[in-house]
Amino acid sequence: MYFKNNRPVFYQIADDIERKIYGGEYALGQKLPSIRELGLTLGVNPNTIVHVYDELESRGLIRTESTSGKYVVSDEKKIEGLKRKYLEERTREFLSDIKEINISVDELILKIYEIEGK
Amino acid sequence: MYFKNNRPVFYQIADDIERKIYGGEYALGQKLPSIRELGLTLGVNPNTIVHVYDELESRGLIRTESTSGKYVVSDEKKIEGLKRKYLEERTREFLSDIKEINISVDELILKIYEIEGK
Amino acid sequence: MYFKNNRPVFYQIADDIERKIYGGEYALGQKLPSIRELGLTLGVNPNTIVHVYDELESRGLIRTESTSGKYVVSDEKKIEGLKRKYLEERTREFLSDIKEINISVDELILKIYEIEGK
Amino acid sequence: MYFKNNRPVFYQIADDIERKIYGGEYALGQKLPSIRELGLTLGVNPNTIVHVYDELESRGLIRTESTSGKYVVSDEKKIEGLKRKYLEERTREFLSDIKEINISVDELILKIYEIEGK
DNA sequence: GTGGTCTAGACCACC
DNA sequence: GTGGTCTAGACCACC
């Protein structure tokens, strides 16, 4: 995982895990990597991962099982709702940026097809 | 202008000006607002604007006229190239995030049309 | 038994047993549950119960019969004295907190009657 | 301020500030001490105070003015509601403990009057 | 091994 | 000076 230098690392990691939950790479109820393990994997300090997991917990995506670790919440409707909201907001924000640079939706969609190789 | 609290303000302002340049809201060769004036307009400290203009200069979008202020560069090809690159990268990054949450390009395009009210 | 997550579990269990001794639910000289048994009952690891019994012994409430287990001490005066001290200190601490939030003793007593349904 | 060793320091500080807000010692909208200043005053690490203020923010008691500091929220009804809830819960918990040691409400009230010197 | 708390200290962003 | 982020490292509670 590469980190950009224009946003706090803990947000970048949290956002990535959030997407992995929405995408099913982390399943409902699944145990997340331990704080120390994920810190090692990503090459960041464990305290940063503590911050990441606090952030995800405050977003309602994971819960702490005090003794055994951190888990994706099991409430499918909740996750689904948050995912829809994520898609909506991210898309609106993207469209807003694209329109600000004077690219039409049609041009944008051509660009998307071009990137997707269709 | 609204600032998110998960990214440095100077990046948010710089990105916005970058898009305004690509969109033509700031024309080629146009003089940018003075540091003081833009700070007042946006309600941020002049030092932050200094940082913004430094950033934009390092991106090759503006130049300093030592005596009279900051100007959008006049090289149309350069700006056009940077704009294409911005569109390409911003779109790739967005598509990458969307695919990570397991939304297909077709679903995404439906979402875009829905938002655009078409 | 519910555990709060803002205090170590072993303190919460120790405090509860301390009160049960003062209240007579554990009689003077009575044998306490085995470490294993209490751990099972409360759903915590036996090591935690070891810690609980150490704590209660250091408070002078129980003693270890090396061969046969843990017992509530039999000295009635001592237990009675500790109980009085507990009541005194717990009440002072509570009153101190209540007064800090600007609630008078009269208001507090009304609240107590309200809760007690009198 | 004295810290007990049976609860995390950051909770003890947060609870104390919570009570000072309810009691009016910190008025609605008032600026709280800076992180560094409060750390110095209490003899704890600034990072601990960061944690304290995060906790109070999550309780809805304070807000961050990103540039200038931390402030008690100004919503009087909200604070009043939280204060009532605090009184209710703390009192119920206290009564529960007292009854567990087999002290009647009448005895308790005598004790309260005795402590209050009435 | 798992998470939680705390310290010490560095550096950044914003005013 | 104000808060925010991150690292390094220690020690505790619980399993």
Side-chain angles (χ1 to χ4, degrees):
Chain A
M1 189 171 176
Y2 311 95
F3 300 118
K4 294 179 187 167
N5 63 2
N6 66 7
R7 285 190 71 215
V9 165
F10 86 90
Y11 276 124
Q12 297 183 54
I13 300 173
D15 287 353
D16 189 62
I17 294 177
E18 179 171 14
R19 283 188 294 271
K20 285 181 161 68
I21 291 171
Y22 294 151
E25 187 164 339
Y26 287 125
L28 297 184
Q30 180 178 335
K31 189 177 184 311
L32 293 161
S34 82
I35 287 170
R36 282 160 179 78
E37 183 193 341
L38 187 54
L40 265 177
T41 305
L42 299 180
V44 301
N45 191 283
N47 283 337
T48 301
I49 306 297
V50 168
H51 203 167
V52 167
Y53 281 166
D54 281 352
E55 173 71 17
L56 289 168
E57 194 152 355
S58 85
R59 292 183 193 176
L61 290 160
I62 73 173
R63 61 170 212 289
T64 300
E65 205 79 353
S66 68
T67 166
S68 74
K70 308 278 190 176
Y71 295 81
V72 177
V73 302
S74 297
D75 182 341
E76 186 172 358
K77 277 196 182 150
K78 183 172 188 182
I79 295 289
E80 189 57 29
L82 288 170
K83 175 178 173 175
R84 284 288 139 193
K85 201 176 152 208
Y86 179 92
L87 174 63
E88 180 83 22
E89 288 178 359
R90 285 299 311 277
T91 306
R92 282 189 184 279
E93 176 196 289
F94 175 65
L95 289 174
S96 158
D97 285 356
I98 293 304
K99 280 149 86 178
E100 197 175 12
I101 69 170
N102 233 347
I103 297 286
S104 72
V105 171
D106 289 345
E107 286 174 277
L108 172 62
I109 287 179
L110 285 177
K111 187 73 195 172
I112 291 174
Y113 283 141
E114 177 196 322
I115 290 174
E116 292 301 308
K118 292 190 183 174
Chain B
M1 189 170 179
Y2 315 94
F3 301 117
K4 294 180 187 169
N5 61 6
N6 65 9
R7 284 189 72 213
V9 166
F10 85 89
Y11 276 122
Q12 298 183 54
I13 298 173
D15 288 353
D16 189 62
I17 294 177
E18 179 171 11
R19 284 188 294 271
K20 284 183 162 65
I21 290 169
Y22 296 150
E25 188 164 338
Y26 286 123
L28 298 184
Q30 180 179 333
K31 188 177 188 308
L32 292 160
S34 78
I35 283 168
R36 197 171 267 263
E37 183 191 341
L38 187 53
L40 266 176
T41 306
L42 298 177
V44 302
N45 190 288
N47 289 332
T48 303
I49 305 298
V50 169
H51 204 165
V52 167
Y53 282 168
D54 283 352
E55 174 71 17
L56 288 168
E57 194 149 356
S58 83
R59 293 184 191 174
L61 289 158
I62 72 175
R63 63 184 158 67
T64 300
E65 214 56 20
S66 62
T67 128
S68 64
K70 309 279 184 179
Y71 294 81
V72 177
V73 302
S74 299
D75 181 341
E76 186 172 356
K77 276 197 182 149
K78 181 171 189 186
I79 295 290
E80 189 56 29
L82 288 169
K83 174 178 172 175
R84 282 288 137 194
K85 197 172 153 213
Y86 177 92
L87 174 63
E88 180 84 21
E89 288 179 357
R90 186 79 180 78
T91 305
R92 282 189 184 279
E93 176 205 352
F94 176 65
L95 288 174
S96 159
D97 286 354
I98 291 305
K99 281 149 83 178
E100 197 174 10
I101 71 171
N102 232 351
I103 296 284
S104 71
V105 171
D106 288 346
E107 285 174 278
L108 172 62
I109 287 179
L110 285 178
K111 188 73 194 171
I112 290 174
Y113 283 141
E114 178 197 321
I115 289 174
E116 291 301 310
K118 293 188 181 175
Chain C
M1 188 169 176
Y2 315 96
F3 300 118
K4 294 180 185 167
N5 62 5
N6 65 9
R7 284 190 72 213
V9 167
F10 86 88
Y11 275 123
Q12 297 183 56
I13 298 173
D15 288 353
D16 189 60
I17 295 178
E18 178 172 11
R19 282 189 295 271
K20 284 183 162 64
I21 291 171
Y22 296 150
E25 190 164 338
Y26 286 124
L28 297 185
Q30 180 179 331
K31 188 176 190 308
L32 291 161
S34 79
I35 282 168
R36 200 171 263 263
E37 184 192 340
L38 187 54
L40 268 176
T41 307
L42 298 179
V44 301
N45 190 288
N47 290 333
T48 303
I49 305 299
V50 169
H51 204 165
V52 167
Y53 283 168
D54 283 353
E55 173 72 16
L56 288 167
E57 194 150 356
S58 85
R59 292 184 192 175
L61 289 158
I62 72 175
R63 63 185 158 70
T64 300
E65 216 52 22
S66 63
T67 129
S68 63
K70 308 280 185 179
Y71 294 82
V72 176
V73 301
S74 300
D75 181 340
E76 186 173 357
K77 275 197 184 151
K78 182 171 188 184
I79 295 290
E80 188 57 29
L82 288 169
K83 174 178 173 175
R84 282 290 138 192
K85 198 173 154 210
Y86 177 92
L87 174 64
E88 180 84 20
E89 287 179 358
R90 186 80 179 76
T91 306
R92 281 189 186 280
E93 177 205 351
F94 176 65
L95 288 175
S96 157
D97 286 355
I98 292 304
K99 280 149 85 176
E100 197 174 11
I101 70 170
N102 232 351
I103 297 285
S104 71
V105 172
D106 289 346
E107 285 174 278
L108 172 62
I109 288 179
L110 284 177
K111 189 74 194 169
I112 291 174
Y113 283 140
E114 178 196 321
I115 289 174
E116 291 301 310
K118 293 189 183 176
Chain D
M1 189 169 177
Y2 311 93
F3 300 118
K4 294 179 187 167
N5 62 1
N6 65 7
R7 287 189 71 215
V9 165
F10 86 89
Y11 276 125
Q12 296 184 53
I13 299 173
D15 288 353
D16 188 61
I17 294 177
E18 180 172 14
R19 283 189 293 272
K20 284 182 163 64
I21 290 170
Y22 294 151
E25 189 164 338
Y26 288 125
L28 297 183
Q30 180 178 335
K31 189 178 186 309
L32 293 161
S34 83
I35 286 170
R36 283 159 179 77
E37 183 193 339
L38 188 54
L40 265 178
T41 305
L42 299 179
V44 300
N45 192 284
N47 283 337
T48 301
I49 305 297
V50 168
H51 203 168
V52 167
Y53 282 165
D54 282 352
E55 172 72 17
L56 288 169
E57 194 151 354
S58 84
R59 293 184 192 174
L61 289 160
I62 72 173
R63 60 171 214 286
T64 300
E65 205 79 353
S66 67
T67 166
S68 75
K70 308 278 189 174
Y71 295 82
V72 177
V73 302
S74 297
D75 182 340
E76 186 172 357
K77 277 196 183 151
K78 182 171 190 186
I79 295 289
E80 188 58 29
L82 288 169
K83 175 178 172 174
R84 284 286 139 195
K85 200 174 152 209
Y86 178 92
L87 175 63
E88 180 83 21
E89 288 178 358
R90 285 298 312 277
T91 305
R92 282 187 185 280
E93 176 196 289
F94 175 65
L95 288 174
S96 159
D97 285 356
I98 292 305
K99 280 148 87 174
E100 197 175 13
I101 69 171
N102 233 348
I103 296 286
S104 71
V105 171
D106 288 346
E107 285 174 279
L108 171 62
I109 287 179
L110 285 178
K111 188 72 193 172
I112 291 174
Y113 283 141
E114 178 196 322
I115 289 174
E116 291 300 310
K118 291 189 180 175

